[in-house]
């Protein structure tokens, strides 16, 4: 079964999915074995690999290393075309639908095709919505787009719905890596209410309470990154 089908099946069974995001530019390769051991003992269901900017083939090198230590599906969460690697299982084909920069709506996608053609990656069309998380984040800077205001919930909802109607298979609500404010329960509930596709929520989740509230509000998958970069011991609270 493919990665996307597996996600749908898990959701149908009522499971909450948890993705750990590893940034190839920040990860220490020599520490990966120990880190993945803890990941395997935790409730983590997916590994995301990516970053707004990643040097050269760092993604390829990291995914090869991660694969040695886990059977969890590895999904590329790319900031740019150079992060595509056949070593992973799937790729979130992200369209930054909160912004109006054509490069991140369709441009990079066209540029990636010659590379994608040479891979076996499962490509999952994903709407990517950046909301204001209380500080300027790398996504905003790198893509030269503005996040949607959390005070304009209807615009966020309409953006998500438009993405679904365009055929996107997943919706990713992003407050930005290291956000001060993660997506509120209200905004998650409001979006989930309109969508028939799985909802991923990430950015600024630092406590178990935030994570469990996100699930209760309708998130199917929560993504955490920074909290583990700051304190790996947080994985202990996510023990199976
Ligand atoms: C970033 O949503 C992810 O794209 C994770 O965010 O690093 O703040 O956990 P954090």
């Amino acid at each position: 079964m493919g990665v996307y089908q597996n996600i749908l099946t898990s959701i149908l069974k009522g499971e909450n999915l948890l993705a750990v995001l590893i940034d190839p530019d920040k990860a220490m390769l020599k520490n990966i074995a120990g880190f993945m051991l803890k990941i395997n003992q935790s409730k983590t269901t997916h590994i995301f690999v990516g970053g707004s900017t990643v040097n050269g083939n760092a993604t390829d090198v990291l995914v090869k290393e991660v694969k040695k230590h886990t059977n969890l599906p590895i999904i590329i969460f790319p900031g740019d075309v150079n992060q595509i690697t056949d070593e992973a299982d799937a790729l979130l084909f992200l369209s930054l639908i909160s912004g109006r920069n054509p490069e991140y709506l369709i441009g990079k996608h066209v540029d990636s095709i010659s590379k994608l053609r040479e891979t076996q990656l499962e490509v999952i069309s994903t709407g990517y919505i950046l909301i204001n998380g209380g500080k300027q984040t790398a996504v905003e800077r790198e893509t030269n787009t503005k996040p949607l205001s959390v005070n304009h919930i209807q615009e966020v909802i309409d953006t998500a719905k438009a993405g679904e109607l365009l055929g996107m298979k997943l919706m990713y609500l992003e407050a930005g890596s290291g956000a001060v404010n993660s997506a509120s329960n209200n905004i998650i509930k409001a979006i989930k209410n309109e969508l028939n596709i799985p909802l991923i929520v990430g950015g600024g989740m630092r406590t178990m309470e935030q994570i469990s509230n996100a699930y209760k509000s309708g998130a199917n998958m929560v993504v955490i990154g920074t909290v583990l970069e700051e304190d790996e011991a947080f994985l202990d609270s996510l023990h199976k």
Side-chain angles (χ1 to χ4, degrees):
M1 205 190 290
V3 171
Y4 183 66
Q5 202 51 50
N6 249 316
I7 289 175
L8 294 182
T9 305
S10 303
I11 292 171
L12 274 178
K13 286 190 208 153
E15 291 170 17
N16 293 325
L17 305 174
L18 178 69
V20 165
L21 172 64
I22 310 177
D23 184 332
D25 267 0
K26 294 184 190 155
M28 306 281 270
L29 285 181
K30 62 178 171 42
N31 296 339
I32 288 293
F35 182 64
M36 293 313 299
L37 190 67
K38 285 193 194 159
I39 292 274
N40 292 333
Q41 293 166 346
S42 77
K43 290 179 181 149
T44 305
T45 57
H46 295 79
I47 305 293
F48 280 10
V49 177
S52 288
T53 54
V54 173
N55 284 324
N57 67 342
T59 308
D60 190 67
V61 173
L62 175 69
V63 174
K64 273 191 189 130
E65 188 60 28
V66 168
K67 259 169 85 167
K68 287 185 200 160
H69 305 288
T70 190
N71 293 319
L72 292 173
I74 303 174
I75 304 179
I76 304 292
F77 173 54
D80 214 331
V81 180
N82 72 328
Q83 294 177 40
I84 294 172
T85 166
D86 205 12
E87 296 291 331
D89 300 297
L91 168 84
L92 295 186
F93 207 47
L94 300 167
S95 188
L96 183 61
I97 55 178
S98 53
R100 295 296 177 267
N101 181 344
E103 275 303 298
Y104 292 90
L105 285 163
I106 181 68
K108 300 272 184 192
H109 312 71
V110 176
D111 293 347
S112 71
I113 295 302
S114 58
K115 203 163 176 185
L116 278 181
R117 229 180 244 126
E118 292 167 5
T119 77
Q120 302 295 314
L121 282 171
E122 179 180 340
V123 178
I124 309 173
S125 170
T126 304
Y128 192 45
I129 300 179
L130 181 65
I131 54 170
N132 194 327
K135 71 169 196 186
Q136 200 199 40
T137 55
V139 181
E140 185 179 346
R141 219 170 32 243
E142 290 301 322
T143 63
N144 202 16
T145 65
K146 288 273 163 248
L148 295 180
S149 165
V150 289
N151 298 321
H152 298 151
I153 291 198
Q154 195 59 48
E155 189 183 4
V156 182
I157 295 170
D158 291 354
T159 302
K161 192 66 192 175
E164 179 181 287
L165 292 178
L166 277 167
M168 289 161 184
K169 300 278 188 268
L170 295 172
M171 197 54 58
Y172 192 135
L173 183 65
E174 171 73 274
S177 191
V180 179
N181 307 314
S182 56
S184 70
N185 299 338
N186 281 349
I187 210 159
I188 297 172
K189 273 184 203 154
I191 293 184
K192 187 61 190 179
N193 225 359
E194 287 266 349
L195 287 186
N196 298 306
I197 54 174
L199 178 62
I200 305 174
V201 178
M205 301 268 182
R206 289 164 194 281
T207 64
M208 285 304 296
E209 195 185 356
Q210 281 172 307
I211 295 172
S212 95
N213 280 338
Y215 290 134
K216 280 185 204 144
S217 305
N220 299 111
M221 180 187 281
V222 167
V223 186
I224 53 171
T226 305
V227 69
L228 297 181
E229 284 164 18
E230 289 173 356
D231 180 18
E232 234 178 79
F234 186 70
L235 276 175
D236 299 339
S237 47
L238 295 166
H239 213 278
K240 272 181 202 161

